[in-house]
Amino acid sequence: MKDPVANGRAAAAAFGGAIAADPNFALAYARRSYFESYLQWYGVDRRGEVLAAAQSDAERALALQPDLGEAHLAMGYVHYWGHRAYDAALREFDLARASLPNNADAIAAIGYVRRRQGVATRGIPEMEQAMVLDPRDSTL
C-alpha cells in the first residue's frame, strides 16, 4: 500500500493536470481542493499557500458550478480542516449532503464536525448512515 501522503500529493497533481486540460472542470478544482486541505490537516504541508490554494480551488469550483455537491464538500473541508470554523463547515457539508444525499463522505463529514464541537452523540446518526452507505470504508 502506498503512503497516504504520497497518494494525496499525486491526486492533487493529477487533478492539476485535469485542470490544465480543461480550466472549466469544476469537479477537478473541488477534488484538488480536498487533497490540498487534507495535506494541511494532517500536518504534511502547513504552509499558508496550501490552505490558500485549497480555498481558491473550492471557490473556483463553486463559481463554475454553484450546485456541485463536491464543491460544497471541498469548501466545507477548507473551513473544517483549514480554519477550524465548524459552523461554516457544517453549512457547506449540509449543502453537499442536499446535493449528494447518498454520499458517505458528505454525511460522515457532518458527524466528524459535530464530534469536534464536543457533541459526539449528535454525530452518531451520520456516522451510522455513512457506514451503511460505505461499509468498506475503514475510517468510519
Side-chain angles (χ1 to χ4, degrees), residues 107-129:
I107 295 165
I110 294 167
Y112 293 142
V113 171
R114 287 186 174 152
R115 180 191 67 202
R116 286 272 172 199
Q117 290 178 314
V119 192
T121 56
R122 281 191 41 226
I124 290 173
E126 282 79 17
M127 299 309 293
E128 289 175 339
Q129 184 181 9

Side-chain angles (χ1 to χ4, degrees), residues 104 129-138 140:
Q129 184 181 9
M131 286 188 295
V132 168
L133 291 169
D134 191 359
R136 296 185 312 172
D137 185 344
S138 64
L140 298 173

Side-chain angles (χ1 to χ4, degrees), residues 19-39:
I19 291 165
D22 180 359
N24 293 315
F25 189 5
L27 182 58
Y29 283 102
R31 295 304 296 157
R32 184 170 71 177
S33 171
Y34 169 85
F35 284 108
E36 290 161 340
S37 293
Y38 172 93
L39 293 172

Side-chain angles (χ1 to χ4, degrees), residues 35-87:
F35 284 108
E36 290 161 340
S37 293
Y38 172 93
L39 293 172
Q40 175 82 16
W41 175 254
Y42 286 100
V44 175
D45 194 339
R46 296 214 182 223
R47 292 175 298 140
E49 303 89 59
V50 174
L51 181 56
Q55 183 154 348
S56 176
D57 282 344
E59 289 169 352
R60 178 73 176 139
L62 287 167
L64 289 168
Q65 203 170 337
D67 294 330
L68 182 66
E70 292 87 345
H72 288 286
L73 189 60
M75 185 58 81
Y77 276 111
V78 168
H79 291 304
Y80 173 33
W81 284 344
H83 300 292
R84 313 307 192 262
Y86 302 134
D87 291 336

